[in-house]
């Protein structure tokens, strides 16, 4: 069995009120699963994950206690089918369609795992309205995915968005991240300015940026 993960990002918490006045806490998280399901040598010479690895990841998801988990670097539906099966019968997933590589078999898709005993999926949408190119520079190879969820216990609803911004430390990579972060910021600001939009928003994902860098700001 190979190591489960490289980085598990900090969890965030959302609190709602039950009808009887007792608080409910929904735990949300984000996890870059590092080429989950990919067959090539992309993980520092570690072998491709096997069924025992998928089962261990599913078990870890349950141990985290999350209601919704944003995931990145997923190579197709098949590995998430195995992970959600290992997590249990109440777990489901949604996966974006972008992030494919030119080789036609490798992809770094993004999506959500969610526990239907805790939340109901209201909608899911890829943000295809965001630009894919700025001044000749391609961006959003992994198109952000947004979804609405409602607490089963309280009816509290919220919108979660998962992203995987451009990796790399070269100047061109940093510029791509800056473009991606800027347009993502503008989109979130537009939601907050709409009267018909729920303003409970959470942004999750792999930002490929250390704190204090331009994209993070």
């Amino acid at each position: 069995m190979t190591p489960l993960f490289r980085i598990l990002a900090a969890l965030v918490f959302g609190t709602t009120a039950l009808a009887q006045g007792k608080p409910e806490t929904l735990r949300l998280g984000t996890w870059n699963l590092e080429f989950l399901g990919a067959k090539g040598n992309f993980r520092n010479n570690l072998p491709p994950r096997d069924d025992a690895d998928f089962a261990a990841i599913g078990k870890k998801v349950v141990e985290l206690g999350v209601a919704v988990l944003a995931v990145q670097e997923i190579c197709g539906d098949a590995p998430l089918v195995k992970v959600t099966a290992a997590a249990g019968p109440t777990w489901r997933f949604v996966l974006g369609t972008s992030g494919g590589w030119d080789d036609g078999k490798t992809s770094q898709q993004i999506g959500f795992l969610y526990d239907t005993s805790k939340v109901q999926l209201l909608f899911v949408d890829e943000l295809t309205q965001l630009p894919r190119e700025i001044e000749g520079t391609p961006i959003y190879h992994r198109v952000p995915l947004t979804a609405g969820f409602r607490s089963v216990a309280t009816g509290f609803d919220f919108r979660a968005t998962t992203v995987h911004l451009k990796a790399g430390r070269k100047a061109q990579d940093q510029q791509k991240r800056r473009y991606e972060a800027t347009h993502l910021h503008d989109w979130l600001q537009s939601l907050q300015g709409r009267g018909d939009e729920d303003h409970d928003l959470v942004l999750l994902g792999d930002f490929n940026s250390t704190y204090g860098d331009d994209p993070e700001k």
Side-chain angles (χ1 to χ4, degrees):
M1 184 183 298
T2 58
L4 289 181
F5 57 89
R6 179 182 57 192
I7 296 174
L8 178 64
L11 298 173
V12 297
F13 300 84
T15 302
T16 65
L18 290 169
Q20 59 267 42
K22 296 180 180 179
E24 178 205 29
T25 297
L26 287 176
R27 178 175 286 190
L28 314 178
T30 183
W31 192 354
N32 183 324
L33 285 163
E34 200 176 13
F35 287 102
L36 186 73
K39 303 301 183 183
N41 179 17
F42 304 116
R43 303 176 59 241
N44 297 322
N45 296 317
L46 291 171
R49 294 182 178 95
D50 57 22
D51 286 344
D53 294 312
F54 295 129
I57 292 170
K59 180 181 177 182
K60 184 65 178 180
V61 170
V62 175
E63 289 174 355
L64 292 172
V66 292
V68 177
L69 183 69
V71 290
Q72 303 83 40
E73 293 199 18
I74 311 300
C75 190
D77 287 2
L80 280 190
V81 169
K82 295 179 180 180
V83 167
T84 53
T90 63
W91 283 87
R92 303 288 187 273
F93 72 85
V94 291
L95 191 63
T97 61
S98 66
W101 286 22
D102 292 339
D103 64 9
K105 57 184 180 180
T106 308
S107 61
Q108 290 182 306
Q109 293 160 264
I110 60 178
F112 292 101
L113 276 71
Y114 61 100
D115 185 352
T116 61
S117 71
K118 297 179 179 179
V119 294
Q120 174 191 3
L121 179 67
L122 302 177
F123 65 85
V124 62
D125 187 30
E126 289 187 294
L127 300 183
T128 55
Q129 70 270 33
L130 295 177
R132 302 297 298 277
E133 182 178 301
I134 301 293
E135 298 179 355
T137 299
I139 59 174
Y140 291 129
H141 177 236
R142 283 116 8 174
V143 176
L145 191 72
T146 189
F149 295 95
R150 176 180 289 130
S151 165
V152 171
T154 67
F156 168 78
D157 56 9
F158 61 96
R159 179 195 285 267
T161 301
T162 179
V163 302
H164 187 179
L165 302 187
K166 181 69 177 73
R169 305 303 299 171
K170 297 178 181 178
Q172 184 182 35
D173 299 327
Q174 293 174 333
Q175 182 61 63
K176 287 183 178 182
R177 275 197 301 278
R178 191 174 295 111
Y179 284 144
E180 291 175 341
T182 298
H183 284 276
L184 188 62
H185 171 269
D186 291 345
W187 175 73
L188 289 168
Q189 289 290 100
S190 72
L191 291 182
Q192 291 181 314
R194 285 172 48 180
D196 61 344
E197 173 67 37
D198 192 313
H199 290 176
D200 296 305
L201 307 171
V202 59
L203 180 64
L204 304 161
D206 183 347
F207 302 101
N208 274 310
S209 174
T210 56
Y211 291 109
D213 281 357
D214 283 348
E216 184 270 329
K217 291 180 181 178

